């Protein structure tokens, strides 16, 4: 069964940067929207950013101006460049890929911890 795999999480100091990556473990066809979500301890999973096949991007207000999402359609890969990280960005970050056929793929998540 195909799933998506995140990488790039870790521990970083406030003000630092990380880049997350996500790619499928096998073939996924007609990916429409790629996105990142995050879940902090004791909280619900929230949208961070999405990018459509046409390149239209959407960001949560809390990350605008600090995070940038981009995708490589040839590799079915999505990235999240995170700059000026804050302690409140600490969470498990999940990748999501949604196809035109209505299939929805989630990764297992990657931990991002922002702490001094």
């Amino acid at each position: 069964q195909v799933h998506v795999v995140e990488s790039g999480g870790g521990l970083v100091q406030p003000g630092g940067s990380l880049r997350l990556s996500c790619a499928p473990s096998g073939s996924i066809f007609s990916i429409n929207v790629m996105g990142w979500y995050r879940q902090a301890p004791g909280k619900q999973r929230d949208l961070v950013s999405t990018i459509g096949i046409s390149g239209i991007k959407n960001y949560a207000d809390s990350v605008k101006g600090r995070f940038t999402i981009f995708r490589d359609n040839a590799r079915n890969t999505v990235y999240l460049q995170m700059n000026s990280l804050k302690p409140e960005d600490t969470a498990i970050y999940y990748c999501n890929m949604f196809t035109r056929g209505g299939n929805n793929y989630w990764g297992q998540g990657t931990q991002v911890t922002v702490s001094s």
Side-chain angles (χ1 to χ4, degrees):
Q1 185 174 358
V2 177
H3 52 278
V4 294
V5 181
E6 304 98 337
S7 61
L11 173 63
V12 63
Q13 292 186 341
S17 297
L18 283 174
R19 178 178 291 188
L20 305 182
S21 302
C22 173
S25 62
S27 297
I28 298 179
F29 299 99
S30 301
I31 299 173
N32 188 4
V33 180
M34 296 180 173
W36 292 94
Y37 295 73
R38 67 186 181 187
Q39 187 167 17
K43 296 188 177 182
Q44 65 180 19
R45 188 176 299 187
D46 290 327
L47 169 73
V48 176
S49 181
T50 60
I51 181 167
I53 186 67
S54 62
I56 295 176
K57 302 176 183 181
N58 179 45
Y59 295 97
D61 288 343
S62 59
V63 306
K64 283 180 181 176
R66 301 188 297 122
F67 290 11
T68 302
I69 190 170
F70 54 103
R71 63 191 281 172
D72 181 341
N73 290 326
R75 292 180 171 83
N76 278 346
T77 301
V78 62
Y79 304 90
L80 185 69
Q81 178 66 42
M82 305 186 294
N83 298 330
S84 303
L85 282 160
K86 305 175 180 179
E88 51 264 43
D89 294 318
T90 295
I92 299 174
Y93 284 69
Y94 296 92
C95 173
N96 175 262
M97 295 190 182
F98 188 77
T99 71
R100 292 196 196 99
N103 295 313
N104 203 15
Y105 298 86
W106 288 96
Q108 294 298 306
T110 185
Q111 177 71 47
V112 171
T113 302
V114 185
S115 175
S116 55

